[in-house]
Each structure stands twice: as structure tokens, then as C-alpha cells.
Amino acid sequence: MILVRRLERQQPLVRPQCPLQRRRGRVRQRSREDHHLFMSFTIESGIDENQLAAWLEEAGEKFGTFDDGRVDYTNADVAPIVMCTVVCGEEILLVKRGHGLADANGYWSTVNGFIDEIKPVAKQAQQEVLEELGLNVQPDQIKVAPSYTLANPKEKRRYIVFACLVTLAGPKPDITLNEENTDFAWIKRAELESYRTLDDLPYSIDTALAA
């Protein structure tokens, strides 16, 4: 049985740059412009990365696997993912998600992917950035924040989110999108609210920026 521990209110697991307050299952976010928005998602504690291998083995038994051994999350009610905030200078890279994906079809998002096999989270982030953007990044360019569990009624399942900060040096690189995304944009953090995103994306980005 896969268990997710609840987050104690007095000891938040992560401390994103934008303060959040959990109240009656709703999250209140304060933007940099001091504008308050009530969000419908909830945040609970995640799992330590050193527990991830055992979690994946149990998930494979519960949800099944593909022929290559990766966990099949098609009918899963919870799944671990990486959400990679790629930054270059003072700008963040957003990608516009294509259709037919697990969630966020047509929304702007960060580079995301299931953690469906046993490997370090940074390696999974490295793989997603290569697949979705055509960029080779090194492990020392990636920082992994403590995970949290996200429940958003707009999404198909709960996610154990490992928010990753991927820092690029020098001028902006050439981006080669794969079929998962249809467009990309470099933006300042303050511009995020002008893009159509799922309402939990700012939390993921701020968690990564604080890693």
C-alpha cells in the first residue's frame, strides 16, 4: 500500500519564494505584486528521494509495468514527476503543452515528466530537458527541491512533485521542441500570471527557484 504523509501545518516541507497559506483545503498565494489569489489545489508532504526506489518497486506491483520495466501510470491515482524550471539569466522557460498528454493539454508549463524507473531525480530531469528541448545539461546545473504531493481537481491524479531548478549559462540556447510541446517562451517570473497555466504552476516554479 502506498502512503503519502500529510504535511504538518506548523512545519512546511518547502519554503517557496512566494508565501503560501493552507486554509480549509485551499491555497492562498501572494504574488510579487502583493495580489492575493485563492487556488483550488492542495499541497501535502512528499517522499524523500532515498525512498523513491522502494516507492517505484511497490508502484510497479500495484499499477503494472511496460515491457521495458517502466511503471505504467495510466490508471494510477498518484505518480511521481519532475517539474523542471529552466532558467537563463533572469528569465524562465515556458513550453506550451501539446494535446494527448497526461495533463495540461494546451496550457503553458515547465518541462515535466513521469519518474517511472529507478534513477536519480537529477538524471530524470536531465533526460526530460534533452527530450523536450534538445538541450544537454550537466548534473551540476540541476538542483532538486524536497518533494511535495499535489492534488489539483483539474488534473487526473495526485502527483508527487520533485521541482528541479535547471540553470543555463551564457546566451539563450537554440531550443528544439519534441512532439510534447508546440511553442516556448522566455519570460520574467513577474510575467507568469499573463500566461494560461494550471494554477499550481507558480508553486512549482517558486519551489524550484528556492532550491
Side-chain angles (χ1 to χ4, degrees):
M1 180 178 181
I2 299 174
L3 300 176
V4 179
R5 297 174 289 110
R6 293 187 64 83
L7 180 63
E8 297 294 337
R9 295 185 185 180
Q10 67 272 24
Q11 295 181 339
L13 181 66
V14 293
R15 298 180 183 275
Q17 290 179 342
C18 294
L20 291 109
Q21 300 170 348
R22 184 175 180 184
R23 295 184 178 180
R24 297 184 179 179
R26 298 176 70 83
V27 176
R28 189 179 187 184
Q29 179 175 0
R30 179 178 300 164
S31 73
R32 295 186 179 186
E33 293 76 20
D34 200 29
H35 175 65
H36 295 111
L37 296 173
F38 282 96
M39 305 298 188
S40 61
F41 64 91
T42 59
I43 299 295
E44 297 180 353
S45 62
I47 60 175
D48 294 333
E49 184 174 352
N50 60 14
Q51 299 173 316
L52 189 55
W55 195 100
L56 289 168
E57 290 179 357
E58 190 174 349
E61 296 176 1
K62 180 177 181 179
F63 304 130
T65 60
F66 296 107
D67 291 340
D68 60 5
R70 292 178 298 114
V71 180
D72 181 0
Y73 294 118
T74 302
N75 297 313
D77 59 351
V78 61
I81 61 171
V82 289
M83 294 189 68
C84 304
T85 297
V86 178
V87 300
C88 187
E90 296 182 355
E91 293 185 304
I92 297 168
L93 182 67
L94 294 185
V95 290
K96 192 172 186 180
R97 307 297 281 172
H99 292 275
L101 302 175
D103 284 300
N105 293 345
Y107 286 87
W108 289 90
S109 186
T110 54
V111 172
N112 306 328
F114 286 116
I115 301 175
D116 51 13
E117 57 185 327
I118 297 174
K119 64 172 60 174
V121 172
K123 281 283 187 182
Q124 186 68 48
Q126 188 179 30
Q127 176 181 317
E128 295 298 333
V129 170
L130 178 59
E131 290 178 356
E132 296 192 26
L133 305 178
L135 298 180
N136 283 294
V137 296
Q138 300 306 311
D140 61 359
Q141 296 175 263
I142 302 170
K143 293 182 179 179
V144 181
S147 74
Y148 59 88
T149 300
L150 166 71
N152 189 333
K154 296 181 180 178
E155 302 186 55
K156 297 177 181 179
R157 59 181 64 83
R158 290 178 297 128
Y159 289 104
I160 302 172
V161 179
F162 286 87
C164 300
L165 177 64
V166 182
T167 303
L168 306 181
K172 295 187 186 72
D174 293 331
I175 302 296
T176 302
L177 298 177
N178 69 356
E179 69 281 356
E180 295 185 43
N181 304 300
T182 61
D183 201 359
F184 70 90
W186 290 99
I187 69 165
K188 298 291 182 64
R189 171 63 182 84
E191 299 171 326
L192 181 60
E193 292 176 359
S194 64
Y195 286 78
R196 181 173 178 257
T197 71
L198 290 176
D199 55 5
D200 57 81
L201 184 65
Y203 187 89
S204 171
I205 289 176
D206 291 336
T207 298
L209 291 175

